[in-house]
Amino acid sequence: MKMKGNLISSSLCWSPIISVLFILLVGMAMTGCATVTQLGTAAHGGDIREVEALLNKGADVNERVMGVTPLVEAVFYNASLDIVRLLLDKGAHINIDAGSGWKPIHYAVNNGNANVVKLLLDRGADFSGMNGFGKTPLKMAEEKGLTVIARMLREAEENQYKKLYAKDEKPTPSVPEKFSVSTPKSDVDELPLVKAKPNKNSYAIVIGIENYRQKLPKADYAVNDAKTMTEYLTKVMGYPEENVITLLNDHASNVDLVKYFEKWLPNNVENGGSVFVYYSGHGAPDPKSGSAYLVPYDGDPSFIDETGYSLKRMYAALGKLPAKEVIVALDSCFSGAGGRSVLAKGARPLVMNLQNAVDLPSNMTVLSASSGDQTSSTYDEKGHGLFTYFMLKGIKNEDVTRQDGSIKMDALFGYIKPQVERIARKQYNNEQTPQLFGGKTR
């Protein structure tokens, strides 16, 4: 074993506990005094007021004792997310090596703390380094079966790869730059101040598909719809960020839908939980069977049975969950008559009976943007689908959300329906009547 200053290296493969405790014990033996700073003690003890007070008095946020800083203390002892965030805000070194290659992100993964892992990733943590076992954070997460954390780390790797190889690439605009138009901002893009209590047993899948691989008509504002819906779920309605899957464009393929509806949800939803599903994009009918399908990123309306994801299949997967309540919101249409629907070439639009197409479980409620023979409009001046805009506006301004983040569906529908009908008729000379059907509408 070799020592140099505060750095300790060893050819041994240490566990995270041995790594930190060995450093602290060696420091005590060498100095005969306490090896943890007062700030470090407050950090790992979970006393955020004391941490803040010490920082305000001038405590060094990066003071090291045998390689251990207050941030390492906080993450290692699984202190609150607020303490970790406060230390980072005050300049804590996020990639500090506490010994044997163990960094804060390794300890966060080892603790299975998805919230801290996400915070560290958002703040630029290096997730490529190996610990004393020669394992990256991703490898640790995979071996521990931490699926949510593993997904975060894989997405971080993908984003890093894209940035690395896109530095010198400038996409060619589809229209001259001076004529390009950004997505309008509306009142619903500013989140309400009221926030529901966190509900750890709430899960959501949010899908927004604007551009399709098959060069289908663009589903305008679908991505903005999905992003804003995710913001409402996680920052207003009490859904934990790690419990919300957001699939946009090429990340919403047929395989992705199967994976998350039929594997991820069953693996995560617990008895008595709640599930929210939101879809913004094209729907399509199967002219042969009359079934309605979501059109994934790689969907082809000419082969919709093979490439689409049917509502029947989705409802069946959701119906197997042990959830107390399942809500499905569809900003799409399925007739093939235009709007947010597509149709195989040469086929004629159909009148879809979405309500009677399948028997819904008693715990499931479906809120659809329009009836089976109508089209779903976009609300161009607001930058959202017409249905989605008023759904978000209802959640923001009307008394439709309970303290636990659940929605009073009857109240929300009572607000959405006349608003959508009025704007569709007045501005687009179009009939669009949202539908509510299923089990509980409490």
Side-chain angles (χ1 to χ4, degrees):
M1 184 179 299
K2 298 179 182 179
M3 292 187 202
K4 185 177 180 182
N6 287 335
L7 299 178
I8 298 179
S9 62
S10 170
S11 59
L12 298 175
C13 294
W14 292 354
S15 74
I17 295 176
I18 294 175
S19 296
V20 171
L21 295 185
F22 180 84
I23 292 169
L24 299 178
L25 290 172
V26 169
M28 291 175 68
M30 292 177 64
T31 64
C33 62
T35 61
V36 181
T37 65
Q38 190 176 1
L39 180 59
T41 300
H44 84 238
D47 190 343
I48 191 168
R49 291 184 179 179
E50 180 67 12
V51 171
E52 193 167 16
L54 289 169
L55 289 170
N56 289 337
K57 290 178 182 178
D60 183 0
V61 73
N62 288 308
E63 183 175 358
R64 298 177 62 167
V65 178
M66 299 305 292
V68 178
T69 65
L71 177 63
V72 173
E73 287 276 337
V75 178
F76 175 75
Y77 286 101
N78 217 6
S80 73
L81 182 68
D82 290 335
I83 287 180
V84 177
R85 183 182 289 112
L86 176 61
L87 292 170
L88 292 172
D89 289 343
K90 295 295 184 179
H93 295 160
I94 197 169
N95 292 318
I96 188 75
D97 189 334
S100 297
W102 286 85
K103 296 180 179 180
I105 194 165
H106 290 98
Y107 294 119
V109 173
N110 192 68
N111 289 335
N113 195 325
N115 289 325
V116 172
V117 171
K118 186 177 188 308
L119 175 62
L120 293 173
L121 289 173
D122 289 344
R123 296 296 182 91
D126 176 13
F127 49 86
S128 62
M130 296 182 181
N131 62 12
F133 290 100
K135 295 174 183 176
T136 63
L138 175 56
K139 185 67 174 176
M140 293 172 63
E142 290 174 338
E143 290 185 353
K144 284 176 167 288
L146 303 172
T147 56
V148 172
I149 292 177
R151 175 175 56 81
M152 289 182 189
L153 291 163
R154 288 192 201 99
E155 289 177 354
E157 282 188 351
E158 290 174 7
N159 292 335
Q160 187 181 66
Y161 179 87
K162 289 177 181 178
K163 289 179 182 178
L164 181 65
Y165 288 95
K167 283 182 179 179
D168 299 323
E169 296 179 9
K170 186 175 182 181
T172 303
S174 56
V175 294
E177 229 172 89
K178 63 180 180 179
F179 294 117
S180 63
V181 179
S182 59
T183 301
K185 290 292 182 182
S186 74
D187 54 327
V188 300
D189 294 309
E190 296 180 6
L191 301 183
L193 298 178
V194 179
K195 183 175 181 179
K197 295 179 180 179
N199 185 347
K200 295 182 179 180
N201 204 8
S202 293
Y203 294 84
I205 294 178
V206 179
I207 304 167
I209 312 173
E210 194 163 324
N211 301 301
Y212 287 81
R213 192 174 74 183
Q214 296 295 327
K215 307 300 181 185
L216 302 178
K218 189 176 179 181
D220 291 329
Y221 311 122
V223 167
N224 193 40
D225 286 346
K227 287 181 177 179
T228 309
M229 184 61 71
T230 295
E231 291 278 293
Y232 271 69
L233 289 168
T234 58
K235 297 181 180 179
V236 178
M237 299 168 66
Y239 284 68
E241 290 186 4
E242 64 271 22
N243 290 7
V244 179
I245 299 294
T246 305
L247 305 174
L248 306 176
N249 287 335
D250 57 340
H251 289 281
S253 67
N254 190 303
V255 171
D256 290 316
L257 269 57
V258 171
K259 177 172 69 174
Y260 287 105
F261 280 113
E262 300 176 23
K263 293 295 182 182
W264 182 79
L265 278 176
N267 288 344
N268 285 278
V269 177
E270 298 177 0
N271 189 42
S274 61
V275 176
F276 182 88
V277 174
Y278 171 82
Y279 177 82
S280 180
H282 284 313
D286 182 346
K288 295 180 181 178
S289 66
S291 298
Y293 286 78
L294 304 180
V295 182
Y297 168 75
D298 53 350
D300 185 341
S302 296
F303 302 93
I304 196 63
D305 187 43
E306 294 78 15
T307 65
Y309 193 73
S310 72
L311 293 185
K312 183 177 181 180
R313 181 173 179 177
M314 181 181 71
Y315 295 151
L318 295 173
K320 295 176 183 177
L321 300 174
K324 176 180 66 177
E325 181 179 59
V326 178
I327 293 175
V328 179
L330 303 171
D331 195 344
S332 184
C333 46
F334 301 90
S335 65
R340 287 189 171 184
S341 69
V342 288
L343 190 65
K345 188 175 181 180
R348 293 183 178 182
L350 303 180
V351 175
M352 307 294 293
N353 192 330
L354 299 178
Q355 184 166 355
N356 297 327
V358 63
D359 291 330
L360 296 179
S362 61
N363 65 339
M364 188 182 301
T365 303
V366 177
L367 184 57
S368 181
S370 60
S371 65
D373 60 343
Q374 296 175 339
T375 61
S376 298
S377 303
T378 54
Y379 201 177
D380 292 333
E381 66 186 73
K382 303 296 185 180
H384 288 286
L386 180 58
F387 166 80
T388 295
Y389 171 77
F390 282 109
M391 183 176 184
L392 295 172
K393 193 174 179 68
I395 294 172
K396 180 177 181 178
N397 295 337
E398 305 297 315
D399 184 22
V400 300
T401 306
R402 301 182 182 88
Q403 288 188 345
D404 64 357
S406 63
I407 299 174
K408 304 172 187 175
M409 292 302 295
D410 282 337
L412 180 59
F413 179 68
Y415 171 77
I416 293 174
K417 184 175 180 289
Q419 300 288 347
V420 170
E421 289 177 325
R422 178 176 61 85
I423 296 298
R425 191 177 298 117
K426 183 177 179 180
Q427 293 199 18
Y428 303 105
N429 193 29
N430 180 38
E431 294 296 325
Q432 181 176 341
T433 306
Q435 305 290 303
L436 179 69
F437 48 90
K440 295 181 180 179
T441 56
R442 62 189 181 97

